[in-house]
């Protein structure tokens, strides 16, 4: 089909007619793209493969890892993730030893971003478009962003208008249940 399409387009010498007569079908997955490329490489000679019109594909990505890996290496984000994870080892005790709004805000941002990256990795790994379709991964990622922003906003509100994050957790731990009071 590609050979006849190229020959018809070459006879007409009109690129617009070539594009109009081509039937463009969307690719379903990366494996389909690779299989089609391998099939074309085997069936078509090298000269005709260069002449054939490229497959038009529009990809909308809402995933930060996909966007980062498409444009650059993922090394910087990986390093930042590790620094935040290691920093939590110092931030958590510091927030409980010397509670303040600054340390509470640092704790809130660190915990939310750490959790966001972890859940985002699960969404990217387990909500693959080839398995669940193209819509569900985007919806899950957008829902994750909304939940992360709402969580951070709620924690900031609690820090600003209540006792603070570390003091709130301390007070929650100090609550004794009814069963514990009866035994004592």
């Amino acid at each position: 089909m590609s050979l006849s399409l190229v020959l018809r387009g070459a006879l007409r010498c009109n690129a617009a007619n070539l594009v109009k007569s081509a039937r463009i079908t969307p690719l379903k997955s990366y494996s389909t793209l690779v299989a089609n490329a391998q099939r074309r490489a085997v069936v078509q000679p090298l000269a005709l493969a260069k002449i054939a019109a490229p497959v038009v594909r529009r990809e909308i990505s809402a995933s930060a890892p996909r966007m980062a890996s498409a444009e650059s290496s993922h090394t910087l984000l990986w390093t930042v993730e590790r620094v935040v994870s290691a920093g939590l080892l110092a931030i958590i005790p510091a927030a409980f030893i010397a509670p303040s709004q600054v340390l509470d805000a640092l704790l809130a941002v660190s915990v939310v971003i750490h959790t966001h990256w972890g859940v985002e990795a699960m969404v990217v790994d387990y909500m693959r478009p080839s398995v669940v379709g193209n819509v569900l991964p985007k919806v899950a990622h957008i829902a994750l962003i909304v939940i992360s922003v709402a969580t951070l906003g709620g924690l900031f509100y609690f820090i600003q208008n209540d006792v603070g994050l570390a003091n709130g957790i301390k007070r929650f731990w100090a609550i004794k249940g009814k069963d514990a009071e009866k035994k004592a």
Side-chain angles (χ1 to χ4, degrees):
M1 179 182 153
S2 296
L3 179 60
S4 65
L5 183 65
V6 170
L7 290 176
R8 276 190 280 147
L11 291 174
R12 292 182 190 147
C13 294
N14 189 344
N17 290 333
L18 179 65
V19 171
K20 287 179 186 175
S21 65
R23 192 180 98 201
I24 300 172
T25 57
L27 299 176
K28 293 184 179 176
S29 67
Y30 178 75
S31 59
T32 307
L33 177 65
V34 171
N36 288 343
Q38 289 173 346
R39 206 174 304 122
R40 272 188 268 133
V42 172
V43 175
Q44 293 179 343
L46 184 60
L48 288 179
K50 289 181 181 175
I51 296 173
V55 176
V56 176
R57 182 178 167 141
R58 183 175 175 198
E59 173 115 10
I60 299 173
S61 178
S63 172
R66 267 204 240 154
M67 290 187 299
S69 62
E71 303 248 337
S72 65
S73 69
H74 202 264
T75 310
L76 180 63
L77 183 58
W78 185 87
T79 305
V80 171
E81 287 173 353
R82 298 310 169 267
V83 167
V84 169
S85 297
L88 278 169
L89 294 173
I91 294 169
I92 293 172
F96 284 99
I97 292 169
S100 69
Q101 283 189 344
V102 173
L103 284 175
D104 283 346
L106 191 59
L107 177 64
V109 169
S110 300
V111 168
V112 169
I113 196 74
H114 179 76
T115 306
H116 175 84
W117 283 330
V119 176
E120 182 182 42
M122 289 188 286
V123 167
V124 169
D125 287 347
Y126 296 112
M127 295 273 199
R128 292 188 305 260
S130 62
V131 176
V132 297
N134 289 330
V135 175
L136 195 57
K138 292 179 177 114
V139 170
H141 191 79
I142 290 169
L144 172 64
I145 292 170
V146 168
I147 290 170
S148 295
V149 168
T151 302
L152 189 61
L155 289 174
F156 282 158
Y157 180 82
F158 186 74
I159 291 166
Q160 186 67 33
N161 297 320
D162 210 334
V163 295
L165 194 55
N167 285 331
I169 293 170
K170 284 180 184 179
R171 286 185 180 183
F172 182 75
W173 285 341
I175 296 174
K176 294 186 180 178
K178 293 178 183 177
D179 295 331
E181 290 176 4
K182 289 178 184 177
K183 290 179 183 178

